[in-house]
Amino acid sequence: MSDNQIFIPDNGDLGLIVLESCKALGQKIDEEIKSRRGTKESFLIPTEEIRFSNGEGKVKLSETVRGKDIYILCDVGNHSCTYNMFGLQTFKGPDEHFQDIKRTVSAIRGKARRITVIMPLLYASRQHRRKGRESLDCALALQELERLGVQEILTFDAHDPNVQNAIPLLSFENLYPTYDILKTFITEEKSAEIDKNKMLVISPDTGAMDRAIYYSSVLGLDVGLFYKRRDHSTVINGKNPIVKHEYMGRDVEGQDVLIVDDMIASGESVLDIARELKARKARNVYIAATFAFFTEGVDKFKKLYEDGLITRVYSTNLTYISPEVQQAEWFKKVDMSEFIARIINRLNHDQSIASYMDATYVIHQLLKSRS
């Protein structure tokens, strides 16, 4: 049975609970599902996220969820959501967004037939393992959702997928936006030649090497690696500062390069690599990341673009992107609403999503259609 055929699933009517942090993406997903099912009736369940003046909160559902297949969407990385606490405007952080997920599950009160949490950016994913006497936030959060009765968790490009070992009996799907990123890249960069003799894929560090190898293999390109030499005697903002980026790979002179990573935080590391590549006479430097936070603003990216050191940055709308960034010439947004709608549609119909876990075939078809 195809995605576009209409039928009532045996496992419950579909219900989407889209929290404030994920409103724009959630509405687009709802429109996609409505289009696929040939209906004008929204699947969104009206939800209120209420904050009291002392900062405490609650979630209220204005519609029944009894017997429904519920999908809760939350962007824990959205830093634009605010509330008033003691008369002051306060911004929600990841902890507060995660608390709202728990409040939502609590408001459902066990009445739903199945609860799936979709956190495109996995909560506390950067604190996924212990290196000493420190907390293990991501694992504890996943276990808490399991105890609350969540049956499935969907996320994208988890910083370390092995964190799912904390919940071995719970369904945990780690999806990747590779196809959508490459589709947008190929559509936008018509002058880029995806040829082994004219382009390379670059990994910004050893941790991103598996991702870079996958990109290079499906594109038929060589891969290069930058190794971060760090000063382990110093800790700044929780990290050892980078002393120098050492490059390993073939000559990049006259080549287009695509730097791939899971996230851009401050962007300092990836911009240093862009400078190194241009110093080695690379032609165009493209950057692709699943999540773009720009935690220290975008002035540095704007400056490097104006100086011709970077050509474009590609990132998804899986986490909040400010209007300033979306309108920038150097940035291209990759819309993931159709992909997520397909996943939700199939899961609600109790169909396999295995074909969406490996994008190799569709990427090869995309490249054939371009040539």
Side-chain angles (χ1 to χ4, degrees):
M1 184 170 289
S2 71
D3 283 350
N4 295 320
Q5 287 181 277
I6 305 170
F7 78 100
I8 303 298
D10 294 332
N11 59 315
D13 294 335
L14 174 62
L16 301 178
I17 297 180
V18 177
L19 297 182
E20 175 192 13
S21 60
C22 216
K23 188 176 180 181
L25 179 61
Q27 288 175 340
K28 296 185 77 171
I29 292 169
D30 182 50
E31 290 298 325
E32 287 284 351
I33 296 176
K34 283 161 55 179
S35 175
R36 289 183 174 281
R37 298 195 178 188
T39 179
K40 294 182 179 179
E41 186 176 349
S42 174
F43 297 96
L44 296 173
I45 294 175
T47 307
E48 290 181 79
E49 295 166 64
I50 300 165
R51 279 296 190 282
F52 301 107
S53 57
N54 69 339
E56 294 178 354
K58 67 178 180 180
V59 166
K60 182 179 179 181
L61 304 180
S62 305
E63 190 178 288
T64 181
V65 296
R66 187 180 294 274
K68 289 190 175 183
D69 193 1
I70 296 296
Y71 293 82
I72 302 170
L73 286 91
C74 180
D75 174 15
V76 299
N78 190 332
H79 59 275
S80 71
C81 301
T82 63
Y83 62 94
N84 287 321
M85 184 169 67
F86 293 99
L88 299 174
Q89 185 184 50
T90 305
F91 289 86
K92 288 185 181 180
D95 291 348
E96 288 157 304
H97 288 306
F98 184 71
Q99 192 68 23
D100 282 338
I101 295 175
K102 294 192 293 180
R103 290 184 176 117
T104 304
V105 178
S106 174
I108 291 171
R109 296 192 301 172
K111 304 301 183 184
R113 186 164 298 185
R114 181 169 63 186
I115 300 175
T116 300
V117 170
I118 302 178
M119 275 188 290
L121 173 64
L122 186 62
Y123 172 72
S125 59
R126 300 178 78 177
Q127 187 52 30
H128 57 91
R129 62 183 177 184
R130 280 187 173 136
K131 296 181 181 178
R133 246 181 227 102
E134 56 187 23
S135 59
L136 197 56
D137 298 33
C138 190
L140 289 174
L142 295 176
Q143 290 173 354
E144 194 166 8
L145 291 178
E146 182 179 31
R147 288 194 295 271
L148 287 170
V150 172
Q151 279 87 23
E152 187 163 24
I153 296 171
L154 302 181
T155 192
F156 281 82
D157 208 346
H159 201 57
D160 183 354
N162 289 319
V163 75
Q164 67 185 287
N165 292 333
I167 46 168
L169 300 181
L170 196 66
S171 178
F172 180 98
E173 301 294 353
N174 182 38
L175 306 165
Y176 291 90
T178 314
Y179 170 75
D180 295 272
I181 288 176
L182 288 177
K183 181 181 178 181
T184 307
F185 174 77
I186 288 170
T187 303
E188 295 290 338
E189 307 298 338
K190 300 191 185 300
S191 64
E193 297 185 65
I194 303 177
D195 183 284
K196 189 172 184 179
N197 298 314
K198 298 177 181 179
M199 191 173 185
L200 290 95
V201 174
I202 298 292
S203 174
D205 54 40
T206 54
M209 196 60 186
D210 286 347
R211 181 181 296 98
I213 290 172
Y214 180 74
Y215 270 84
S216 65
S217 63
V218 294
L219 294 173
L221 305 175
D222 287 334
V223 64
L225 165 68
F226 274 89
Y227 170 70
K228 297 175 182 176
R229 280 204 294 116
R230 295 182 179 271
D231 179 4
H232 290 279
S233 64
T234 308
V235 177
I236 300 175
N237 294 329
K239 298 182 293 184
N240 303 114
I242 298 168
V243 176
K244 186 174 175 58
H245 289 93
E246 303 284 359
Y247 176 65
M248 291 182 283
R250 71 174 174 84
D251 188 12
V252 300
E253 184 174 353
Q255 305 278 302
D256 287 342
V257 294
L258 177 63
I259 305 171
V260 294
D261 209 350
D262 61 338
M263 63 176 65
I264 298 172
S266 68
E268 198 65 51
S269 177
V270 75
L271 292 180
D272 283 346
I273 290 170
R275 293 187 188 96
E276 291 278 351
L277 289 168
K278 291 300 282 189
R280 289 174 166 80
K281 299 181 180 180
R283 190 169 76 117
N284 288 303
V285 176
Y286 303 102
I287 301 166
T290 304
F291 306 105
F293 302 140
F294 303 116
T295 56
E296 295 180 10
V298 298
D299 289 344
K300 291 177 288 187
F301 285 85
K302 183 179 179 182
K303 179 71 165 59
L304 260 66
Y305 172 72
E306 291 172 348
D307 293 344
L309 298 182
I310 60 172
T311 303
R312 208 89 61 217
V313 175
Y314 287 83
S315 191
T316 71
N317 60 345
L318 292 171
T319 193
Y320 174 75
I321 304 170
S322 70
E324 177 192 7
V325 174
Q326 292 193 49
Q327 295 164 11
E329 291 183 6
W330 50 267
F331 183 84
K332 291 294 180 183
K333 180 178 72 174
V334 179
D335 184 16
M336 296 299 298
S337 58
E338 181 183 354
F339 181 83
I340 297 176
R342 285 176 178 268
I343 294 293
I344 292 175
N345 203 42
R346 293 188 71 84
L347 290 176
N348 180 234
H349 290 171
D350 259 355
Q351 295 176 331
S352 170
I353 61 170
S355 60
Y356 294 90
M357 306 300 287
D358 185 358
T360 304
Y361 175 76
V362 286
I363 291 173
H364 285 161
Q365 294 302 112
L366 176 66
L367 293 172
K368 284 181 182 178
S369 66
R370 186 183 192 243
S371 59

